[in-house]
Structures are given as C-alpha cells and as structure tokens.
Amino acid sequence: MTSSRIADITLAEFGRREIELAENEMPGLLFLRKKYGATKPLTGARIAGNVSLTIQTAVLIETLVALGAQVAWSSSGLFATEDHAAAAIVAAGIPVFAWKGETPEEFIWCTEQTFTAFPDRKPLNMILEDGGDVINLIHNKYPQYIKGIRGLTEETTSGVYFLYRRFREGTLKFPCINVNDSVTKSKFDNYYGCRESLIDGIKRATDVMIAGKVAVVAGFGEVGKGAAGALRAYGARVIVTEIDPINALQAAMNGYEVMTMEKAASRGKIFVTATGNRDVITGKHLLAMPEDAIVCNNGAFNWEVDVAWLNANAKSVTKIKPLVDRYTLSNGRRVILLAEGRCVNLGCATGNPSFVMSCSFSNQVLAQIALWTTPEKFPIGVHMLPKEADEEVARAHLNHLGVELTTLTEVQSKYLDIPIDGPFKPTHYRY
C-alpha cells in the first residue's frame, strides 16, 4: 500500500499557514468541531474523499478527523488540487493521493488508492465525493466493497444527476445523500461562490478587461446566475443561452439577452459554460468567434467545450502559460482556452472562497454523521438533509457577518403556525 503521493511535501508549512487563515473564514466547520468534537460521532467511519483538494477542503478533512473519522483523499479533477494543501494534510498524517496536473490515468489511480488507504488495509465504508467518479469505480470495478459501504454524500449538481439516474435504473447499491441541493449549498456555493471565483480564474489567467465586452454565459442555473451577475458587475454586456423556459424567463427578466449559442458565438469575447451538459460549445461555435475570444468552463468535467475538436482541428496551439492555450483555427482566427476546458475557477484560480465553502462542507459533515449514526433512516436511494439542518448551517455563519436574527413572538408563531426556533419554510420553498 502506498501511504501517500503528492507533488511536494516541502510545501506543508505554507499549506498549514493558509489552513489556519482559512479556519477563521469557516465558522460552520469550527461550530461542528465544537458541537461534536467530544462525542466523535464518526468514530469507525473510513471515508474515501474525492473532492477538489483545496485549502478549504483541508479544513473539511481535518473536521472529519476531529469528529472521529479516518480519512483518505483524492481530488475530483486533474487540476483541482492545491499542492500546498495536499502537503499540509499529508504532514498531519492523513493519506492523500493528489497533485495539480494529473493525467486521466493518474486521476483514476489516485482515486483507487483511497479505497484501502486505511490502517491494516481495511477498505472504505463511507464515500464523500464530487462528480460521481468514486461511485462509478466502486459499482463497475470494485463491487467487493459495496456490501461494507454505509453510504455516500454527493457535492455537485452533475454528480447528483448521475445518482438519481442510477437509482431510476436500479443500479444504485447503497444510500446516498444529495448535499448539492441543500439550500445552503446550491444557493451559496454554486451561486455566491462561483460569482467570485469565476472572475478570479479569468483575471488570473488573462488579465483581460471585462468592462464593455460581450460575455456569453451558457446556462442560467445557480452557477450561471452567479457568473452572469459577476460579469455584469464588471461592466460586461451579458448574453445567456438556456434550454429551460423558466430559467430563460428568469434571465430575460433580470435584463439579460437570451439567445442560442449559434447566434451568440459571433458576438461574444468571453464565453463561460455552466450547464453540466456536454457539447455546449462545439467546433462551429468556435469557428464563429471573434479574434482571441476567451473560452472557459465553470460547469462539470471537460465536455462542455469540445476540446477534442480543438485539438484535432486547430492549425496550431501556443501555450501562453500553464492552463492558458491560444489556438489558431482553420479560418486564421484565434481563441484562448482556459484550464483545458475544465473548471476554470479551480484550474486558473483557487476555487470558491473559504466562507461559502464552509456552508457547503458543513452540510457534508452533517450528511456523513446522519448516514453513519442513523443508517436505519436511509434505505437505498437518494435522500436530502432536513430543513432543520439547512437552517443550522445558515445560523452557524451569521455571527461571523455580524448578523442578528429577529425572534418570533409566541403570538406571531401561532399566527403563522411556525415554531419559534424553526424550521421557517416548507420543504418545497425555493428561496
């Protein structure tokens, strides 16, 4: 068994300094350490984690350990590792198999190592993941571990989609919790987090002036809403593409132009995909783009932009710097692709800010505790955390912002038929 494999253990001290800084911006995770640290409800859990290994994820990992879990970690993308964060976690004695710039084959190898990277080579019995790679590997290549796995908690929109599809098809073999659709995840990480980290990635990669340019955002879900809002705040004129009539109507009523990519391609200078789908920007769109259009993806995987077409059909490619590539097309025009079509906020920047990741990862911790300590409540299927958990996560972050809540009076509580301490909204409320 390989104990760990990372880029550079000498980065551990740097990583530790940034982890300590991040902890002050992650009040939810610190609250959970304080609440559950003495009882250690995750004792006995062997969690294989596959989430982008950033400084913020390092705080999550150490929270899980503080609550009694054994943890082994790989990263959820080829460029989704901060090497100093990985080094700091290894220096703390936790197995990690991740480095920035893995090949697809190395990515699979790293993920597989986490299945048995526990004392005495005991296998995983819990999964915490982002995107579906672990569950696919377990179901398709390592079914011998299925019986011992108590459950999985999933971080992302696309990963959750695959879980529901697997359940519909009858191939899901253990219970899962959909963390992504907790309000304090999807409405915060996906929207507020990407609203800041997208621009961070574009700016670090290109130093481009956004004001005055036409930006095209494909998809107006939570990530797309954040992307469009951030680009407009910088002075861009924003076009949205959508397949969903409700999202399209929302975009229009927020003042965005809504059209097809076929019409938008020739107008945009900055293109951002945020759909979780594939083939969103294809060869015909790339050929229609103006000189030095910037193309990036802030959605899932690397299929939203047809990078394979670019590599097969471009006349030449110039690497400006790592993860910034300038392709010359057959028509003589050039396009600039960021992060090889993978998540630009992780490839070209450092992912979402600590505070909003505290919201997401607090839900992950609560979901892990729920699956591990009350398995009888979770038959095979895809489940949600209760509204009370969502509100607890939100409440844990308010003091950090100096927010004071109003408390219902008994008369108001009876009038609305809402408990004084919540939950305050029905499960179908959309916020």
PDB file of all heavy atoms in Angstrom, residues 390-404:
ATOM      1  N   ASP A 390     -30.337  22.522   7.259  1.00  0.00           N
ATOM      2  CA  ASP A 390     -30.037  23.687   6.424  1.00  0.00           C
ATOM      3  C   ASP A 390     -30.017  24.962   7.262  1.00  0.00           C
ATOM      4  O   ASP A 390     -29.116  25.800   7.137  1.00  0.00           O
ATOM      5  CB  ASP A 390     -31.100  23.812   5.332  1.00  0.00           C
ATOM      6  CG  ASP A 390     -30.518  23.763   3.921  1.00  0.00           C
ATOM      7  OD1 ASP A 390     -29.300  23.975   3.762  1.00  0.00           O
ATOM      8  OD2 ASP A 390     -31.287  23.542   2.984  1.00  0.00           O
ATOM      9  N   GLU A 391     -31.017  25.114   8.100  1.00  0.00           N
ATOM     10  CA  GLU A 391     -31.101  26.320   8.915  1.00  0.00           C
ATOM     11  C   GLU A 391     -29.987  26.364   9.954  1.00  0.00           C
ATOM     12  O   GLU A 391     -29.462  27.448  10.278  1.00  0.00           O
ATOM     13  CB  GLU A 391     -32.475  26.416   9.580  1.00  0.00           C
ATOM     14  CG  GLU A 391     -33.586  26.691   8.566  1.00  0.00           C
ATOM     15  CD  GLU A 391     -34.969  26.817   9.208  1.00  0.00           C
ATOM     16  OE1 GLU A 391     -35.076  26.624  10.446  1.00  0.00           O
ATOM     17  OE2 GLU A 391     -35.928  27.118   8.471  1.00  0.00           O
ATOM     18  N   GLU A 392     -29.589  25.203  10.475  1.00  0.00           N
ATOM     19  CA  GLU A 392     -28.481  25.162  11.422  1.00  0.00           C
ATOM     20  C   GLU A 392     -27.194  25.629  10.757  1.00  0.00           C
ATOM     21  O   GLU A 392     -26.409  26.383  11.349  1.00  0.00           O
ATOM     22  CB  GLU A 392     -28.294  23.750  11.984  1.00  0.00           C
ATOM     23  CG  GLU A 392     -27.158  23.650  12.991  1.00  0.00           C
ATOM     24  CD  GLU A 392     -26.957  22.242  13.527  1.00  0.00           C
ATOM     25  OE1 GLU A 392     -27.148  21.278  12.770  1.00  0.00           O
ATOM     26  OE2 GLU A 392     -26.607  22.121  14.716  1.00  0.00           O
ATOM     27  N   VAL A 393     -26.971  25.198   9.527  1.00  0.00           N
ATOM     28  CA  VAL A 393     -25.779  25.617   8.798  1.00  0.00           C
ATOM     29  C   VAL A 393     -25.794  27.132   8.590  1.00  0.00           C
ATOM     30  O   VAL A 393     -24.780  27.815   8.815  1.00  0.00           O
ATOM     31  CB  VAL A 393     -25.683  24.883   7.450  1.00  0.00           C
ATOM     32  CG1 VAL A 393     -24.581  25.494   6.579  1.00  0.00           C
ATOM     33  CG2 VAL A 393     -25.401  23.400   7.680  1.00  0.00           C
ATOM     34  N   ALA A 394     -26.920  27.670   8.163  1.00  0.00           N
ATOM     35  CA  ALA A 394     -27.006  29.119   7.964  1.00  0.00           C
ATOM     36  C   ALA A 394     -26.762  29.871   9.266  1.00  0.00           C
ATOM     37  O   ALA A 394     -26.002  30.845   9.317  1.00  0.00           O
ATOM     38  CB  ALA A 394     -28.374  29.486   7.385  1.00  0.00           C
ATOM     39  N   ARG A 395     -27.398  29.407  10.340  1.00  0.00           N
ATOM     40  CA  ARG A 395     -27.275  30.086  11.633  1.00  0.00           C
ATOM     41  C   ARG A 395     -25.824  30.095  12.121  1.00  0.00           C
ATOM     42  O   ARG A 395     -25.369  31.072  12.718  1.00  0.00           O
ATOM     43  CB  ARG A 395     -28.179  29.391  12.654  1.00  0.00           C
ATOM     44  CG  ARG A 395     -28.327  30.148  13.966  1.00  0.00           C
ATOM     45  CD  ARG A 395     -29.314  29.458  14.890  1.00  0.00           C
ATOM     46  NE  ARG A 395     -30.696  29.699  14.478  1.00  0.00           N
ATOM     47  CZ  ARG A 395     -31.484  28.781  13.937  1.00  0.00           C
ATOM     48  NH1 ARG A 395     -31.039  27.546  13.727  1.00  0.00           N
ATOM     49  NH2 ARG A 395     -32.720  29.078  13.594  1.00  0.00           N
ATOM     50  N   ALA A 396     -25.091  29.028  11.827  1.00  0.00           N
ATOM     51  CA  ALA A 396     -23.704  28.926  12.286  1.00  0.00           C
ATOM     52  C   ALA A 396     -22.798  29.954  11.619  1.00  0.00           C
ATOM     53  O   ALA A 396     -21.679  30.183  12.090  1.00  0.00           O
ATOM     54  CB  ALA A 396     -23.177  27.520  12.020  1.00  0.00           C
ATOM     55  N   HIS A 397     -23.260  30.573  10.537  1.00  0.00           N
ATOM     56  CA  HIS A 397     -22.426  31.531   9.809  1.00  0.00           C
ATOM     57  C   HIS A 397     -22.810  32.992  10.060  1.00  0.00           C
ATOM     58  O   HIS A 397     -22.123  33.901   9.573  1.00  0.00           O
ATOM     59  CB  HIS A 397     -22.498  31.235   8.305  1.00  0.00           C
ATOM     60  CG  HIS A 397     -21.806  29.971   7.927  1.00  0.00           C
ATOM     61  ND1 HIS A 397     -22.412  28.728   8.060  1.00  0.00           N
ATOM     62  CD2 HIS A 397     -20.560  29.733   7.448  1.00  0.00           C
ATOM     63  CE1 HIS A 397     -21.568  27.798   7.663  1.00  0.00           C
ATOM     64  NE2 HIS A 397     -20.443  28.369   7.290  1.00  0.00           N
ATOM     65  N   LEU A 398     -23.885  33.228  10.797  1.00  0.00           N
ATOM     66  CA  LEU A 398     -24.384  34.594  10.913  1.00  0.00           C
ATOM     67  C   LEU A 398     -23.507  35.490  11.777  1.00  0.00           C
ATOM     68  O   LEU A 398     -23.262  36.655  11.439  1.00  0.00           O
ATOM     69  CB  LEU A 398     -25.822  34.577  11.463  1.00  0.00           C
ATOM     70  CG  LEU A 398     -26.866  33.925  10.545  1.00  0.00           C
ATOM     71  CD1 LEU A 398     -28.240  33.983  11.196  1.00  0.00           C
ATOM     72  CD2 LEU A 398     -26.890  34.591   9.177  1.00  0.00           C
ATOM     73  N   ASN A 399     -23.034  34.966  12.906  1.00  0.00           N
ATOM     74  CA  ASN A 399     -22.228  35.805  13.800  1.00  0.00           C
ATOM     75  C   ASN A 399     -20.982  36.333  13.102  1.00  0.00           C
ATOM     76  O   ASN A 399     -20.543  37.463  13.356  1.00  0.00           O
ATOM     77  CB  ASN A 399     -21.824  35.018  15.054  1.00  0.00           C
ATOM     78  CG  ASN A 399     -22.982  34.854  16.023  1.00  0.00           C
ATOM     79  OD1 ASN A 399     -23.969  35.586  15.960  1.00  0.00           O
ATOM     80  ND2 ASN A 399     -22.873  33.887  16.917  1.00  0.00           N
ATOM     81  N   HIS A 400     -20.424  35.527  12.236  1.00  0.00           N
ATOM     82  CA  HIS A 400     -19.208  35.929  11.516  1.00  0.00           C
ATOM     83  C   HIS A 400     -19.446  37.183  10.687  1.00  0.00           C
ATOM     84  O   HIS A 400     -18.523  37.957  10.430  1.00  0.00           O
ATOM     85  CB  HIS A 400     -18.749  34.779  10.623  1.00  0.00           C
ATOM     86  CG  HIS A 400     -17.400  34.997  10.006  1.00  0.00           C
ATOM     87  ND1 HIS A 400     -16.231  34.811  10.711  1.00  0.00           N
ATOM     88  CD2 HIS A 400     -17.023  35.368   8.747  1.00  0.00           C
ATOM     89  CE1 HIS A 400     -15.190  35.071   9.920  1.00  0.00           C
ATOM     90  NE2 HIS A 400     -15.647  35.397   8.722  1.00  0.00           N
ATOM     91  N   LEU A 401     -20.686  37.378  10.258  1.00  0.00           N
ATOM     92  CA  LEU A 401     -21.042  38.535   9.436  1.00  0.00           C
ATOM     93  C   LEU A 401     -21.694  39.649  10.245  1.00  0.00           C
ATOM     94  O   LEU A 401     -22.108  40.666   9.681  1.00  0.00           O
ATOM     95  CB  LEU A 401     -21.987  38.101   8.306  1.00  0.00           C
ATOM     96  CG  LEU A 401     -21.433  37.036   7.350  1.00  0.00           C
ATOM     97  CD1 LEU A 401     -22.502  36.650   6.331  1.00  0.00           C
ATOM     98  CD2 LEU A 401     -20.179  37.534   6.643  1.00  0.00           C
ATOM     99  N   GLY A 402     -21.801  39.461  11.553  1.00  0.00           N
ATOM    100  CA  GLY A 402     -22.437  40.472  12.389  1.00  0.00           C
ATOM    101  C   GLY A 402     -23.930  40.568  12.190  1.00  0.00           C
ATOM    102  O   GLY A 402     -24.523  41.638  12.382  1.00  0.00           O
ATOM    103  N   VAL A 403     -24.545  39.443  11.814  1.00  0.00           N
ATOM    104  CA  VAL A 403     -25.984  39.418  11.533  1.00  0.00           C
ATOM    105  C   VAL A 403     -26.752  39.051  12.798  1.00  0.00           C
ATOM    106  O   VAL A 403     -26.388  38.116  13.510  1.00  0.00           O
ATOM    107  CB  VAL A 403     -26.300  38.404  10.414  1.00  0.00           C
ATOM    108  CG1 VAL A 403     -27.807  38.246  10.230  1.00  0.00           C
ATOM    109  CG2 VAL A 403     -25.641  38.836   9.108  1.00  0.00           C
ATOM    110  N   GLU A 404     -27.825  39.785  13.096  1.00  0.00           N
ATOM    111  CA  GLU A 404     -28.692  39.486  14.229  1.00  0.00           C
ATOM    112  C   GLU A 404     -30.066  39.082  13.717  1.00  0.00           C
ATOM    113  O   GLU A 404     -30.687  39.796  12.935  1.00  0.00           O
ATOM    114  CB  GLU A 404     -28.819  40.699  15.147  1.00  0.00           C
ATOM    115  CG  GLU A 404     -27.509  41.126  15.799  1.00  0.00           C
ATOM    116  CD  GLU A 404     -27.696  42.315  16.730  1.00  0.00           C
ATOM    117  OE1 GLU A 404     -28.859  42.645  17.042  1.00  0.00           O
ATOM    118  OE2 GLU A 404     -26.669  42.897  17.137  1.00  0.00           O
TER     119      GLU A 404
END
